[in-house]
Amino acid sequence: MTDPADLRPVTAEEWPAFSRAMLEVFGDDPIGDFTERVPPTAELDRSLSLWAGDGRVAATGGIYSRQVTVPGAVVPCAGVTWVTVSPTHRRRGVLTAMMRRQLTELHEQQGEPLAALWASEGSIYGRFGYAPATQRGNLRGSTRDMAFRPGVDLGTGTVAPADPEAWRAGAARVHEALRRWVPGTFERDGRWWERALRDPAERRGGAGARRYVLHTEADGEVTGFAAFRVRTRWTDDGLADGTVLVEDVRARSTPGYAALWRYLLDLDLVRTVEAGYAPADDPLRHLLADPRALQARPLDGLWLRLVDVGRALAARRYPAPIDMVLEVRDRFCPWNDGRWWLRGHPAGAFCAPTDGDPDLVVDVEALAAAYLGGVSLGTLQAAGRVTEVSPGAVTQAATAFSWPVSPFCPDQF
């Protein structure tokens, strides 16, 4: 079995070999100069690599230092990324060693209380305490059927195309205004906006280049933005049958949001809309005269891990008061395994170890799923992931862990 001590950070000189090995496992070709120079977002001191005896890179991993919104607060979060293991080193405990090394170092160094990742396969990360905490809606509909309800207010602002730099400036202001209210949303500094605007032709999947639009009020203030691309198609009869692939739509007002969507749904030569990463309960459905015109096939989005249960539970806010003892089962991180006294309310929270009798028993994956408010503890109880000890504890805890805004993560990493 692999010893976590066998893993080490990669150097800048080793980046080409490291990145090529990573892309090979993912089945991707090199894109641009990604394999030739270290990307601005990379933090090599937080990377991990395993080298085979012949000098090949057998495993890769890394962490981005991020800030994520949780209910009522913004919390440091370790964005786990680049995780691969070569087929030559499978079933040797390499991935387990990597996960253990990352989580142990975060705990011992009092680093981020949360870790998050995007899972390439749904069966991998649960055994390390991660759980899906947001959903992507995988929305689809026929634009012909997506008329708005009578009386939908489109406001007095305008929606117009923008060049990438103008779009970035306006979108950054809107994102910053909105991100603190939506759990699961990450901050974006200049490096992450630069990454968000990258649009290599190899990654377009047969669609056109990304297009950008801004919603602007009469006074010139940008209050919304959208990014999309169009996949052009013609039927054998010569009829337009294109698809608009919506990547992001956000606005600071309901009229602005409605106006952006009306623009996207009214594009010429388009018959279908797809929004793979929109929230599963996107407000768009409630703008439509026929709610059935929009179909959703929800998929998991961001996966979350409570690195330190006490610090994580104390960091978020609770819309309803909670005062109870949680017995947390955590096989992978023994420092979390035990009983925790949680007191929380809308203004703050306290959480510390205790020897008191538990009100609830919950595994750490279920706690991670419920942490952002997107999964009810009542649902998890029905699945056998939560055990109620004190009568009514599930109802109280499910109410306290809820949040009026569904969690959403538009940033893959």
Side-chain angles (χ1 to χ4, degrees):
M1 298 298 287
T2 303
D3 187 331
D6 294 336
L7 300 159
R8 66 168 177 82
V10 69
T11 66
E13 292 72 24
E14 294 168 334
W15 173 258
F18 178 91
S19 59
R20 286 192 176 93
M22 175 179 59
L23 291 175
E24 181 178 350
V25 175
F26 281 125
D28 289 335
D29 295 325
I31 300 170
D33 60 355
F34 176 79
T35 59
E36 303 307 319
R37 67 181 182 91
V38 180
T41 53
E43 301 176 48
L44 296 190
D45 59 323
R46 307 195 78 178
S47 67
L48 290 175
S49 63
L50 181 68
W51 295 75
D54 58 2
R56 291 183 302 107
V57 180
T60 65
I63 287 177
Y64 295 124
S65 303
R66 305 297 305 273
Q67 297 277 330
V68 67
T69 299
V70 304
V74 176
V75 178
C77 179
V80 175
T81 187
W82 305 341
V83 179
T84 68
V85 178
S86 169
T88 61
H89 284 66
R90 300 278 166 79
R91 289 174 287 280
R92 300 187 188 183
V94 177
L95 181 59
T96 299
M98 189 181 304
M99 295 289 105
R100 194 174 303 283
R101 171 81 172 260
Q102 287 181 334
L103 293 170
T104 300
E105 287 186 351
L106 287 171
H107 169 67
E108 292 180 346
Q109 298 171 10
Q110 288 289 288
E112 294 94 333
L114 301 172
L117 53 80
W118 286 81
S120 57
E121 296 183 59
S123 61
I124 296 176
Y125 293 98
R127 65 183 186 270
F128 307 121
Y130 287 88
T134 75
Q135 284 190 326
R136 43 192 170 125
N138 199 23
L139 307 179
R140 180 183 174 88
S142 168
T143 57
R144 294 176 175 176
D145 300 331
M146 300 178 77
F148 281 178
R149 293 182 300 102
V152 168
D153 182 9
L154 299 181
T156 58
T158 59
V159 178
D163 64 63
E165 286 307 311
W167 183 86
R168 170 179 167 172
R173 293 193 296 273
V174 175
H175 176 84
E176 186 62 22
L178 294 177
R179 74 174 179 91
R180 297 177 182 274
W181 304 103
V182 183
T185 305
F186 287 86
E187 98 298 348
R188 289 182 186 174
D189 61 18
R191 301 168 305 149
W192 287 97
W193 278 106
E194 178 183 340
R195 171 175 159 148
L197 266 68
R198 291 182 66 246
D199 187 26
E202 311 94 285
R203 289 292 181 90
R204 293 175 184 170
R210 185 184 295 120
R211 305 183 193 181
Y212 306 96
V213 295
L214 293 173
H215 180 270
T216 307
E217 298 294 347
D219 62 1
E221 182 183 6
V222 174
T223 54
F225 64 89
F228 66 98
R229 60 181 82 244
V230 174
R231 182 184 295 130
T232 303
R233 180 180 179 274
W234 298 86
T235 69
D236 293 340
D237 298 326
L239 301 177
D241 192 25
T243 299
V244 55
L245 305 171
V246 180
E247 297 184 357
D248 209 354
V249 182
R250 273 175 281 175
R252 297 178 62 181
S253 70
T254 298
Y257 192 75
L260 284 164
W261 269 111
R262 196 65 267 159
Y263 178 96
L264 296 170
L265 296 173
D266 289 343
L267 289 169
D268 289 336
L269 309 180
V270 164
R271 296 294 177 264
T272 304
V273 60
E274 295 181 4
Y277 287 87
D281 62 346
D282 195 287
L284 172 61
R285 183 183 307 280
H286 304 284
L287 292 172
L288 301 178
D290 179 4
R292 293 184 181 179
L294 185 67
Q295 295 89 46
R297 296 178 59 194
L299 299 170
D300 57 278
L302 187 74
W303 288 57
L304 197 68
R305 214 290 181 198
L306 276 60
V307 178
D308 284 305
V309 165
R311 289 196 294 142
L313 293 182
R316 61 156 286 173
R317 303 295 181 259
Y318 301 85
I322 183 171
D323 186 347
M324 64 175 55
V325 174
L326 308 179
E327 183 172 315
V328 178
R329 304 283 173 81
D330 192 342
R331 296 169 295 175
F332 199 71
C333 294
W335 55 84
N336 287 328
D337 198 78
R339 297 176 181 178
W340 297 87
W341 178 28
L342 171 63
R343 295 179 61 192
H345 48 78
F350 164 86
C351 189
T354 182
D355 57 3
D357 294 334
D359 298 294
L360 288 181
V361 180
V362 57
D363 64 64
V364 74
E365 300 100 304
L367 197 57
Y371 183 79
L372 295 181
V375 180
S376 169
L377 286 167
T379 300
L380 293 164
Q381 180 195 28
R385 306 291 295 276
V386 175
T387 301
E388 183 176 72
V389 180
S390 300
V394 167
T395 298
Q396 181 188 355
T399 302
F401 272 81
S402 67
W403 197 249
V405 180
S406 296
F408 170 55
C409 183
D411 291 331
Q412 295 186 74
F413 48 83

